[in-house]
Every structure is written in structure tokens, then in C-alpha cells.
Amino acid sequence: MKKIDILKKLRSSRLRPTKQRVEIAKFLFEREKTFHFTVESLNKLLIKKSNSKIALATIYNTVHAFKASGHLSEVEVRGNKTYFDTNVSNHHHFYDSETSELIDIDANDIVIQKIPKAPNGKKIKNVEVFINLKK
Amino acid sequence: MKKIDILKKLRSSRLRPTKQRVEIAKFLFEREKTFHFTVESLNKLLIKKSNSKIALATIYNTVHAFKASGHLSEVEVRGNKTYFDTNVSNHHHFYDSETSELIDIDANDIVIQKIPKAPNGKKIKNVEVFINLKK
DNA sequence: TTTTCACTTTAGAATAATTATAAACTAACT
DNA sequence: AGTTAGTTTATAATTATTCTAAAGTGAAAA
Ligand SMILES: [Mn+2]
Ligand SMILES: [Mn+2]
Ligand SMILES: [Zn+2]
Ligand SMILES: [Zn+2]
């Protein structure tokens, strides 16, 4: 994904392409593979990469704005921090609690044969599978 | 589960049956159905039930001690609070994010037909399925 | 282009959940 | 009963996140 696409992505979501948003978006989206991160880890990586310092509140704001626009998804894993995911398609995860590492599983690589029906008055929104790992 | 069993349960885990632990254990384990809770919700329910006040730190201590002893499990759901579960067997959950409500799904009620193999050097510890609900 | 202004960034304060501390208490062993 | 390691408690500290309000800026209007 090139810079022009980053700008399109921001504009299409009515997010002004500010210096900070462009920098964060380039860091998050100009890569081949899925990227899983916490706000804190993203902050550290951004500091390491570009010696400019973006306020932590801005990183929170931006990540939430990207999530609201559908450019990021949130993944719930055991622990105290919130994880985000550049893969916004329907998919599943391996989770290694020792390293706090998430690994994508393509939706097609898990087939569920039997599933209970939703409780009365409720519908199934989606099904998330976590495969917890050990050594 | 009667009081004598509560005392056995505590003693078998080398947890001294203090007044606070017995009160919390009775509240959690003397019931037929699974109980899902957060420390905060448990605290409120305990205050309502018995007008005695157990310090919040004690509730944290006790819940963690029960978890360490295998009497409670922890369930990770989207959100900022940690949920605990009196059902410590292998099972799955419905999750209603609007009401923050968890509902048990028996392990046998979900059958997975196809599953990817674990990444190199790692093994599968367990598989958790979350069925997210909507209205 | 300048002007304008809603949107954005930022430092710092505030909040919320959880954990740590250390003094007082107590279950259980001798 | 006396001892002591384990426990409770009030309170402080920590951590993650959100709020606030002032200063800055992108982009539309003039
Ligand atoms: Mn979490
Ligand atoms: Mn959580
Ligand atoms: Zn992912
Ligand atoms: Zn459960």
C-alpha cells in the first residue's frame, strides 16, 4: 500500500490526513502481513522507527478512529491490554500466552460442524475461535 | 454443595477456611448453575446479600486463590474487566456484548471438523469458541 | 490567497481496574 | 495457652485508558 492509498484510506473515512495519522497509518498498513499490537507496543515501535514523538493520547485517538472506520479490528486475549489487528476480515487466532503472541488463522482453516442455536430472542453475530498454545 | 464440602474444598487446596473465604465460597459454589462474574459485581452482590463488608482487596485475593486452586476459571471477553467462571470444565460461551452477559455452551455442543496444526515447536493447549450475540 | 473554523493534537489531569504494602488479626499447630 | 505463618484490611501505588481544555492545523469559504 503506497502513500497515496493511505491518503485515500483516510479521506474515505473522513479522517483528515494529519502528519500523525499518516505516520501511524503508514506504519500500520504499509506491510504485507497482519500486524497485531497494543497501543503501548505501537507507541514504542513508533518511537524507535521515527525519532518524532507522537503523544500517547493521539495514538489512542488514532487507533480508535481507525477501528471505528473499520481499518483495524480489536482482538480480545487474556490479559490486561487491548490488542488491535490490521486484519479486519473474519478470521481466527492462535494465541501463545507465554509470549502474548497472536497468529492469524484463515477463516477457511477452521470448519465448525455443530453449533448450538442462539438463546431465545438473540441472533448469532459471529463466531470467534481461539486456539491457545503451549510449548 | 453443603458447608462441609466448602470446608473440604478449601482445606484440600491448603486455603485456611477464614470467615471471608467461607462466605465467598458459599456464595460462589452453593448454586446449581454456572455463575459468571467480575470482582466488582461479586463485591456488590456480597454487600447486598450479607450486610458484612469484605474488603475489595480480600475479594481479589480470594478469587485469585480460588482460580489458582482450580475452583474458578477466567474468561476473557471484550472489555476492561476480568470475568471469572464457576464452571472450570472445558466449555465454550455465548457472549452478548450489549448486556455483557456470558452463557455457557457445553463442550459437546460444538464440534470442530477442521482445525489447523499448531505452529512449529508449539502444541495446542485448548480451543475456546466464543459465539458473539446480537438482538 | 487569506480567513475561518471545525477537527486534531497535546500535556497533563482524571478515572477505573488491579496490585502492592504493611500493620493488625487469626487459624491451626505445639 | 502460646506461637507463628497465613490472612485481612485500609490505603497507597501502579497500569491502562479516557477526559479536558488550550493550542495547532487541514481544508472549505470568501
Ligand atoms: Mn483484554
Ligand atoms: Mn479483559
Ligand atoms: Zn488477526
Ligand atoms: Zn462459563
Side-chain angles (χ1 to χ4, degrees), chain B residues 52-114:
Chain B
S52 65
K53 185 186 97 295
I54 299 176
L56 190 58
T58 300
I59 299 179
Y60 273 101
N61 288 342
T62 302
V63 165
H64 284 142
F66 288 172
K67 185 195 167 193
S69 301
H71 303 314
L72 290 173
S73 62
E74 197 178 332
V75 187
E76 187 63 20
V77 295
R78 222 165 276 280
N80 41 339
K81 289 184 190 171
T82 300
Y83 280 72
F84 293 91
D85 192 337
T86 57
N87 183 348
V88 294
S89 72
N90 178 37
H91 67 290
H92 306 287
H93 291 100
F94 286 114
Y95 180 58
D96 185 337
S97 61
E98 290 170 39
T99 61
S100 297
E101 190 188 6
L102 282 169
I103 300 168
D104 275 1
I105 300 171
D106 192 275
N108 299 327
D109 290 344
I110 292 185
V111 176
I112 298 177
Q113 191 172 58
K114 185 184 173 190

Side-chain angles (χ1 to χ4, degrees), chain A residues 33-129:
Chain A
K33 291 167 68 183
T34 294
F35 181 47
H36 298 108
F37 63 96
T38 65
V39 169
E40 200 54 56
S41 72
L42 175 58
N43 185 37
K44 279 183 185 138
L45 291 168
L46 285 170
I47 289 171
K48 210 184 293 180
K49 177 165 208 192
S50 62
N51 29 25
S52 65
K53 185 186 97 290
I54 300 176
L56 190 57
T58 300
I59 300 179
Y60 273 100
N61 289 342
T62 303
V63 164
H64 284 143
F66 288 172
K67 185 195 166 192
S69 301
H71 303 314
L72 289 175
S73 61
E74 196 178 333
V75 187
E76 188 63 21
V77 295
R78 222 165 274 282
N80 42 337
K81 289 184 190 172
T82 301
Y83 280 72
F84 292 92
D85 192 337
T86 57
N87 183 348
V88 294
S89 73
N90 179 37
H91 68 289
H92 306 287
H93 291 100
F94 286 115
Y95 180 59
D96 184 338
S97 61
E98 290 170 40
T99 61
S100 296
E101 190 188 7
L102 283 168
I103 300 167
D104 275 0
I105 300 171
D106 192 274
N108 298 328
D109 290 344
I110 291 185
V111 177
I112 297 177
Q113 191 174 58
K114 184 185 174 189
I115 206 164
K117 50 181 164 303
N120 236 316
K122 289 173 182 173
K123 288 182 178 172
I124 291 175
K125 194 198 308 181
N126 73 316
V127 177
E128 274 184 278
V129 179

